[in-house]
Amino acid sequence: MQENRPQFKRPSKKHEPKGLTILYEDRDMLVVNKINGLLTMSTAREKENTAYFLLTDYVKKGNPRSKSRIFIVHRLDRETSGVLVFAKSEPAKRYLQDNWATFHKTYSAVVHGQLAEKEGILTSYLVENQLHRMYSINNPEKGKFSKTGYRVVRESDQLSLLEIDLFTGTKNQIRVQFAEEGHPVAGDKMYGVKDKGIKRLALHSSSLKLTHPFTKETMVFETDIPAYFKVLLKH
């Protein structure tokens, strides 16, 4: 299957929703680069400051009567930035979700400490407690199998920049597994340590390789590692 780096004319910055950069759009799907701090979809407390709400308005071009809409395929945590995909039809949504596990997802992260093994794979069975925190258990029947590959890209005395392959998509998977290894993601208030001076969660969805829902072309969407991650490594 031919690998195709998508080419399309990006909308002008003034027409892009705040906090979102349009990476690709056609009649079947919409791919964006989301900033950290923006929800993917609404919660009980926040309905409008979400990628879903902003992009719905974007495809409707401000016309509430428009029948254009988007469909959620997957989510990124609020504090995670990077590549996020929405479908523009039910059939496209079904195809992308049904095949999501086969797509190649790469993340960048800054974690605390220096890893003894500079490349490896983490596996565990994760479950969620009543406080909505994920943790590992030794019971395969109750936990969800979670697999993460990693490679150390750069190190400082206290932090490491990792390239991460997400083989499964369990909630908070990367954050939990590295925290349990003693290397929590920098800026992680839930699973990590109190990071004085670290402004954000240092986790970014850097690339996604998928198959187009209708043309069946292999498409790759890439974003730069946030400059702030490199700043952290210098301190």
Side-chain angles (χ1 to χ4, degrees):
M1 186 178 292
Q2 182 180 4
E3 184 173 301
N4 177 40
R5 187 177 298 276
Q7 298 292 328
F8 90 112
K9 187 176 180 180
R10 272 187 57 193
S12 63
K13 197 69 179 175
K14 69 177 182 179
H15 290 118
E16 285 185 321
K18 186 177 180 180
L20 297 162
T21 300
I22 308 297
L23 300 177
Y24 179 76
E25 182 181 11
D26 62 19
R27 67 179 185 178
D28 302 308
M29 61 183 190
L30 178 59
V31 185
V32 300
N33 183 12
K34 181 185 83 70
I35 63 167
N36 68 296
L38 181 66
L39 287 164
T40 297
M41 57 186 291
S42 65
T43 64
R45 293 183 178 181
E46 182 57 68
K47 303 294 184 184
E48 297 187 1
N49 190 29
T50 71
Y52 177 77
F53 182 91
L54 295 170
L55 290 170
T56 295
D57 185 64
Y58 166 79
V59 298
K60 288 180 178 291
K61 295 179 170 54
N63 178 7
R65 294 185 179 182
S66 170
K67 293 182 179 180
S68 298
R69 59 174 300 190
I70 59 171
F71 299 82
I72 293 169
V73 174
H74 68 120
R75 288 185 251 180
L76 292 179
D77 292 341
R78 182 178 201 154
E79 299 306 323
T80 302
S81 55
V83 181
L84 183 61
V85 180
F86 291 88
K88 294 176 74 175
S89 69
E90 283 278 11
K93 174 191 174 183
R94 284 195 298 271
Y95 177 86
L96 291 168
Q97 288 187 333
D98 288 348
N99 292 277
W100 193 252
T102 68
F103 300 154
H104 187 204
K105 299 165 280 287
T106 304
Y107 283 69
S108 299
V110 177
V111 301
H112 283 277
Q114 295 184 351
L115 284 77
E117 295 185 13
K118 305 308 178 186
E119 187 171 348
I121 292 178
L122 304 179
T123 58
S124 59
Y125 294 92
L126 298 178
V127 293
E128 187 172 9
N129 66 18
Q130 293 180 337
L131 298 176
H132 306 296
R133 286 174 59 98
M134 305 296 291
Y135 64 97
S136 294
I137 60 172
N138 294 321
N139 189 337
E141 294 182 1
K142 292 185 177 180
K144 186 173 182 180
F145 178 71
S146 305
K147 180 180 178 181
T148 305
Y150 72 89
R151 179 178 66 86
V152 175
V153 177
R154 191 183 303 174
E155 294 176 324
S156 68
D157 291 340
Q158 298 180 332
L159 299 169
S160 297
L161 174 64
L162 308 181
E163 179 180 276
I164 295 171
D165 290 320
L166 193 66
F167 296 111
T168 56
T170 310
K171 177 183 176 181
N172 297 162
Q173 175 178 322
I174 294 171
R175 297 164 63 185
V176 176
Q177 288 185 323
F178 281 97
E180 292 182 343
E181 288 291 315
H183 300 285
V185 176
D188 193 340
K189 297 177 182 178
M190 179 174 286
Y191 300 103
V193 295
K194 292 184 179 180
D195 290 318
K196 293 182 179 179
I198 295 183
K199 300 176 182 178
R200 59 159 291 183
L201 178 71
L203 183 61
H204 178 76
S205 171
S206 50
S207 74
L208 173 64
K209 182 178 180 180
L210 55 72
T211 305
H212 191 279
F214 288 100
T215 68
K216 300 302 184 285
E217 289 179 301
T218 299
M219 307 180 82
V220 180
F221 304 98
E222 297 177 318
T223 57
D224 293 333
I225 297 173
Y228 183 62
F229 289 17
K230 297 176 182 178
V231 171
L232 288 175
L233 269 292
K234 293 179 180 179
H235 292 285

